[in-house]
Amino acid sequence: MTAGMPFYVSPEQLMKDRADFARKGIARGRSVVVLGYDHGIAFVAENRSRSLHKIGEIYDRIAFAAVGKYNEFENLRVAGVRYADLRGYSYDRSDVTARGLANAYAQTLGTVFTQESKPYEVEIVVAEVGNDVEDDQIYRLTYDGSVADERGLVAMGGASEQIEERLTEQWQPGLTLAQALQLAVAGLAHDPAGGADRELGPDALEVAVLDRTRSRRTFRRINGALLGQLLSEDDPTDDAPPVDHDSPRQAASNPQTQRHGDEPTPDSD
């Protein structure tokens, strides 16, 4: 008699099960740290892949970082780029803001969490660099569409609470890029179980910045010898040297607008 009866699950239990499922998926990934420094916002991720990025450019002054399932947060990043391009083209480039993008992401994540059979196993940060430190914006979005306006720094991933607690004790406004990166790497290398800290070299890291001193395209990847110098306590390098672009078209955010034959910029993906 009971074979044809549907199972009943209370809404509270259903939401709890979905949240637990998403958190477990996120916890399996390596952490990402986003923190401010004197000239902008730095993004540091433990990522040995050279092609599957956790950090990406969205628009002139906006960048994206994520943890969780790559295919899910990559779809969100691409959707964010399309949203920014369409809004900037339809209205004005200044109308593309991290706040607007965070609201759009929140609606998408919230809809998927409540209506789809499986929530997104992702946690993302949308950051926008301002003309000064007070204007910087960092928004953290979780799998259910919740949005938090963070100030200064944020950590995501399995050990985010321990990393953020450790970073909060040492971070302060006005750090140089080298100091901020060294602090972030020390947080990522910390063993939350209480063991010895791991060694994380440049090859194990993905690093990018939003540099407010750049005229238009503020996003820049930091890798190779420069990253090694910034992470070395014995090297006096404390900031990324400026890069001169050959043309406004080459400096554009969208690679499709670059003329054929332009030399790639050192910070290109």
Side-chain angles (χ1 to χ4, degrees):
M1 295 177 60
T2 62
M5 295 179 61
F7 290 101
Y8 172 75
V9 179
S10 67
E12 293 83 359
Q13 185 63 44
L14 181 61
M15 293 299 106
K16 181 180 182 300
D17 290 344
R18 289 181 176 179
D20 290 342
F21 176 84
R23 281 195 291 263
K24 288 179 181 178
I26 294 169
R28 288 193 288 267
R30 298 294 187 181
S31 297
V32 176
V33 172
V34 181
L35 72 170
Y37 70 102
D38 56 355
H39 291 160
I41 302 173
F43 303 76
V44 185
E46 184 177 354
N47 184 11
R48 297 180 184 275
S49 174
R50 299 298 91 185
S51 57
L52 304 179
H53 296 304
K54 293 183 177 181
I55 302 165
E57 179 182 18
I58 297 292
Y59 212 58
D60 296 341
R61 307 180 72 84
I62 302 173
F64 169 101
V67 294
K69 292 196 70 173
Y70 174 80
N71 66 309
E72 292 179 346
F73 68 67
E74 177 64 10
N75 285 338
L76 289 172
R77 185 193 68 81
V78 172
V81 172
R82 290 173 177 166
Y83 164 90
D85 283 344
L86 179 60
R87 188 167 183 84
Y89 179 79
S90 301
Y91 300 98
D92 186 81
R93 301 188 77 87
S94 62
D95 291 323
V96 182
T97 64
R99 180 180 178 182
L101 185 61
N103 288 335
Y105 278 144
Q107 293 176 23
T108 299
L109 289 169
T111 300
V112 170
F113 183 77
T114 56
Q115 297 184 9
E116 299 297 330
S117 58
K118 186 193 83 68
Y120 277 1
E121 300 168 59
V122 299
E123 192 170 357
I124 66 176
V125 160
V126 177
E128 179 178 0
V129 67
N131 293 324
D132 50 49
V133 176
E134 289 72 21
D135 294 332
D136 290 347
Q137 299 177 45
I138 302 176
Y139 297 99
R140 177 180 184 176
L141 294 98
T142 54
Y143 50 84
D144 60 353
S146 300
V147 185
D149 183 4
E150 305 287 351
R151 306 304 299 176
L153 66 90
V154 61
M156 304 181 294
S160 59
E161 293 183 3
Q162 296 90 335
I163 294 174
E164 195 164 319
E165 181 179 354
R166 180 169 182 175
L167 295 181
T168 303
E169 296 175 353
Q170 304 179 48
W171 180 87
Q172 59 185 1
L175 295 178
T176 66
L177 178 57
Q179 292 171 332
L181 295 184
Q182 291 169 16
L183 179 61
V185 172
L188 292 173
H190 179 64
D191 184 359
D197 290 352
R198 296 176 298 134
E199 295 264 347
L200 291 179
D203 292 341
L205 300 169
E206 179 185 357
V207 177
V209 297
L210 289 173
D211 185 352
R212 79 175 91 255
T213 64
R214 306 186 79 187
S215 58
R216 177 172 167 182
R217 185 186 177 190
T218 61
F219 183 85
R220 180 180 182 185
R221 294 195 181 276
I222 307 294
N223 48 36
L226 176 58
L227 179 57
Q229 292 171 351
L230 291 168
L231 294 178
S232 174
E233 296 182 355
D234 300 326
D235 194 290
T237 303
D238 61 2
D239 201 356
V243 175
D244 294 327
H245 294 286
D246 293 336
S247 69
R249 183 177 288 268
Q250 184 180 350
S253 300
N254 188 349
Q256 293 179 353
T257 65
Q258 297 174 6
R259 289 192 180 94
H260 178 70
D262 282 341
E263 292 299 324
T265 59
D267 56 314
S268 60
D269 292 350

